[in-house]
Amino acid sequence: RALGPVRELDVAASMVDALELTDDDGQRLRNCWQARLDRERRAPARALRKALTPARRNRLGRCLDAFATVRGLSDDPGWRTALASRLERRARDLRACLDHTGALYLVDPLHEVRIAGKKLRYALELVDETRLGRVTTLLATLKKSQEVLGRLHDIDVLARRLQDLLDVAPSDPLDEVAARVGAALDQESRWLHARYLRRRSALASLTDSTLDILVPRVLTPPRRPFPVAAHAR
């Protein structure tokens, strides 16, 4: 949570730096924009340093080490039920977000699709690490869609911050440059949304595969091999 606001501003700053603003007015817009982003970054950066003190990082490390030790010694199979429940819940959440958004270009619902997909991806990665199912294709589908929706979200953040900048410091020459930048951002957004729509049916099929195939497979206990001595007899 502490990293999120800083990350968002850092991404915005890098995107502003990458914009093709070569004339004098474009450079003025870039400089004003970067200065405003730098000012906005100070408060969340202070909050981040406070959240990630050495003591807190060390405590987190100790907690993770203790968890790894307990997990390694435990033979409780209940984690399979917990993982299956999480898979089911997150697959249904993603499907609900897909159905709610439909084919409309709505920024907030599309962001909810991205978040739901990210949460499902984390659960699928656990399935992959525990070798309970083959999820390579599912993970690839989610990652590609997340890349598109992530870029779409970053562009929306940048466009909103551009409007905030103009509201604070309006200027006719800067308004003209900002209008061109805004039009370019909008065009890329529409293109990204079209890419998302082409992947939307694959995301829906992914939720079906998770619910119909993967969840039952995770719940099925592994077959125990015959003991070597008994087999020899």
Side-chain angles (χ1 to χ4, degrees), residues 223-232:
R223 294 180 179 177
R224 293 186 177 182
F226 291 108
V228 174
H231 183 68

Side-chain angles (χ1 to χ4, degrees), residues 125-225:
E125 286 173 348
L126 289 175
V127 174
D128 186 48
E129 291 176 8
T130 51
R131 299 182 180 181
L132 294 180
R134 296 181 179 180
V135 295
T136 303
T137 301
L138 302 183
L139 285 173
T141 299
L142 277 174
K143 288 178 180 178
K144 289 178 182 178
S145 298
Q146 278 188 271
E147 289 173 1
V148 173
L149 291 173
R151 176 68 179 179
L152 192 61
H153 173 70
D154 292 339
I155 289 176
D156 174 66
V157 170
L158 193 65
R160 286 189 281 112
R161 293 190 179 279
L162 174 61
Q163 187 56 54
D164 292 342
L165 172 66
L166 296 177
D167 291 341
V168 172
S171 169
D172 289 341
L174 295 188
D175 283 345
E176 183 178 343
V177 179
R180 296 201 304 267
V181 173
L185 294 176
D186 182 70
Q187 183 177 9
E188 184 176 358
S189 295
R190 303 292 173 179
W191 176 74
L192 289 167
H193 183 244
R195 286 186 61 190
Y196 158 73
L197 290 180
R198 289 195 292 271
R199 299 182 182 279
R200 184 174 173 274
S201 60
L203 286 174
S205 297
L206 180 150
T207 63
D208 292 338
S209 298
T210 300
L211 293 170
D212 298 339
I213 300 174
L214 202 56
V215 169
R217 184 173 298 169
V218 170
L219 283 172
T220 303
R223 294 180 179 177
R224 293 186 177 182

Side-chain angles (χ1 to χ4, degrees), residues 70-87:
V70 172
R71 183 185 63 175
L73 297 174
S74 174
D75 58 359
D76 179 9
W79 63 271
R80 297 172 68 99
T81 304
L83 179 55
S85 176
R86 182 170 297 182
L87 279 169

Side-chain angles (χ1 to χ4, degrees), residues 14-62:
S14 67
M15 292 174 70
V16 171
D17 190 57
L19 293 173
E20 295 184 4
L21 300 172
T22 56
D23 57 12
D24 292 341
D25 289 336
Q27 292 293 343
R28 285 179 56 222
L29 177 65
R30 190 200 308 276
N31 293 338
C32 292
W33 207 346
Q34 292 283 23
R36 180 173 174 82
L37 291 173
D38 288 341
R39 290 194 299 271
E40 291 182 357
R41 190 183 186 278
R42 292 170 188 168
R46 286 194 297 269
L48 176 59
R49 286 192 292 270
K50 184 177 180 180
L52 294 179
T53 61
R56 288 188 173 188
R57 294 200 302 272
N58 291 336
R59 185 165 65 249
L60 175 61
R62 290 193 298 271

